Amino acid sequence: MFGPQIPTVTVPEIGDDTYLLDVREDDEWAAGHAPGAHHLPMMELPARLAEVPTDRDVAVICRSGGRSAQVVAYLMRNGWEQVRNVAGGMGEWAATGRPVIGADGQPGQVR
């Protein structure tokens, strides 16, 4: 759908120093997200672009990889170079055993 022009990163390749940008909706975030991730719903991105760093690696994640691929394309069109789509999204994050927490800080679930 997006072709090879969208750079990707696998969950195991994401380093601790990578800025993890979660672009899912508020209810999805509240149900379960990666600890340390930064929440910025996809539809709010144009108004909040300044929040996304340009000087470090950015990994964009959603539930399965579709919305995040759109966000990566948008960021690239707007000058970001160190941005990658997380292959498989939060589903893959959880499947690889990475922690998922809810809004209350307790173990969460991906939806």
Side-chain angles (χ1 to χ4, degrees):
M1 178 172 174
F2 300 104
Q5 73 274 16
I6 301 297
T8 61
V9 62
T10 65
V11 171
E13 293 172 329
I14 299 172
D16 292 339
D17 56 338
T18 299
Y19 187 91
L20 185 61
L21 178 62
D22 190 321
V23 296
R24 296 176 300 146
E25 296 298 319
D26 291 339
D27 61 325
E28 294 172 291
W29 168 267
H33 58 272
H38 303 270
H39 185 223
L40 198 166
M42 180 174 144
M43 298 311 289
E44 295 178 22
L45 181 66
R48 297 174 58 188
L49 265 180
E51 296 177 34
V52 183
T54 58
D55 60 348
R56 62 192 276 203
D57 288 336
V58 176
V60 185
I61 196 166
C62 66
R63 184 174 52 82
S64 61
R67 286 173 284 178
S68 53
Q70 293 176 54
V71 169
V72 168
Y74 181 83
L75 290 172
M76 291 175 68
R77 284 193 307 273
N78 284 278
W80 272 256
E81 296 176 359
Q82 297 172 245
V83 61
R84 305 285 180 265
N85 184 32
V86 178
M90 281 301 297
E92 186 64 20
W93 180 275
T96 61
R98 293 272 186 118
V100 176
I101 59 170
D104 60 1
Q106 298 299 311
Q109 61 183 351
V110 176
R111 60 171 163 157

